[in-house]
Amino acid sequence: MNLIFATGNLNKLQEIKSLIPKDININDLNSLNFYEEIPENENSIEKNAVFKAKFIYNKYNINVFADDTGLEVEALNGEPGVFSARYAGKECDSNKNMEKLLKNLLDKKNRKASFKTVIALILDNKLYKFEGIVNGTITNFKKGNKGFGYDPIFIPEGYEKSFAEFSINEKNGISHRSIAVKKLINFLKK
Ligand code: IMP
């Protein structure tokens, strides 16, 4: 089976490829010579994932899945959530996003947060959705240099180290994306 993963993010492609059985051939958007950013203007993580999958399906008429992820922080009423990628504004990067989040949490005792991933799959013109959530806490400062995004400031429940201190395989064992991907794989295997 051939599937396009609607991303240009090599970290995500690598994470997902290491989880998916070899008989499912995954390629990213670069394999379609598509190098643009797909707009992420919807008001929920789920809607963004569906939008991205539909965008590629409509353009190339090809089986495709897209994911969208957000970090939801309890003391900030679920922020940054759907705005996780651009939390610190237009010119933001992961460091600026993390710094803003740590600053907004400075006076907060409640450090509970969760990562949520939604995968939208369009297979033979039908839409399917898969969700993965991992609960944890936000650190007081950045820890570790692996992973990407908010990994250095997120400690998953039951651990004392941040996601940025996990190897890819360890992170894949428990992460929000791997939970959603495993649901996707189980569906594809049926
Ligand atoms: P998206 O899934 O690319 O839309 O991700 C939204 C935001 O969440 C971006 O800022 C990513 O860097 C961040 N993000 C997505 N997945 C992860 C993850 O597994 N760990 C840490 N940050 C992530």
Side-chain angles (χ1 to χ4, degrees):
M1 176 187 290
N2 290 312
L3 273 180
I4 292 290
F5 179 21
T7 188
N9 180 331
L10 280 180
N11 286 298
K12 284 191 183 177
L13 183 70
Q14 203 188 359
E15 271 189 20
I16 283 192
K17 274 198 163 179
S18 68
L19 285 162
I20 294 225
K22 297 283 170 276
D23 55 336
I24 303 175
N25 186 29
I26 307 278
N27 282 299
D28 66 2
L29 292 175
N30 296 353
S31 71
L32 300 172
N33 289 324
F34 182 96
Y35 299 101
E36 295 158 43
E37 289 271 319
I38 306 175
E40 297 191 356
N41 297 328
E42 303 295 316
N43 62 6
S44 76
I45 292 167
E46 182 177 324
K47 285 186 195 162
N48 268 342
V50 171
F51 182 90
K52 286 191 269 187
K54 282 190 175 165
F55 188 94
I56 295 302
Y57 187 83
N58 291 337
K59 195 170 167 74
Y60 296 100
N61 195 21
I62 198 167
N63 288 331
V64 59
F65 67 92
D67 80 325
D68 199 51
T69 296
L71 177 63
E72 299 182 329
V73 179
E74 205 172 271
L76 302 176
N77 301 316
E79 270 189 23
V82 70
F83 301 111
S84 294
R86 50 192 186 282
Y87 190 44
K90 269 199 168 169
E91 300 298 314
C92 64
D93 57 24
S94 292
N95 268 323
K96 288 184 185 152
N97 287 339
M98 285 188 285
E99 273 156 26
K100 177 170 178 186
L101 187 56
L102 291 179
K103 201 168 154 219
N104 286 345
L105 280 178
L106 266 181
D107 58 339
K108 307 276 192 249
K109 279 213 178 90
N110 178 2
R111 314 284 299 186
K112 283 187 194 162
S114 53
F115 268 118
K116 177 165 139 185
T117 291
V118 175
I119 292 179
L121 166 73
I122 303 182
L123 189 66
D124 303 330
N125 205 25
K126 283 202 189 112
L127 171 69
Y128 306 89
K129 287 176 258 178
F130 309 92
E131 186 182 86
I133 291 177
V134 60
N135 296 318
T137 50
I138 301 296
T139 55
N140 291 308
F141 49 87
K142 290 180 235 164
K143 285 169 68 178
N145 53 17
K146 299 192 195 79
F148 66 101
Y150 294 88
D151 279 346
I153 60 166
F154 183 82
I155 300 188
E157 209 168 75
Y159 294 82
E160 284 178 6
K161 57 184 182 179
S162 79
F163 260 165
E165 295 172 298
F166 281 60
S167 67
I168 279 196
N169 283 344
E170 269 182 308
K171 186 180 167 192
N172 271 342
I174 61 162
S175 81
H176 42 294
R177 193 161 21 261
S178 72
I179 294 168
V181 172
K182 280 170 196 157
K183 290 180 185 171
L184 169 74
I185 293 169
N186 284 339
F187 172 82
L188 292 172
K189 277 193 195 150
K190 278 186 203 155

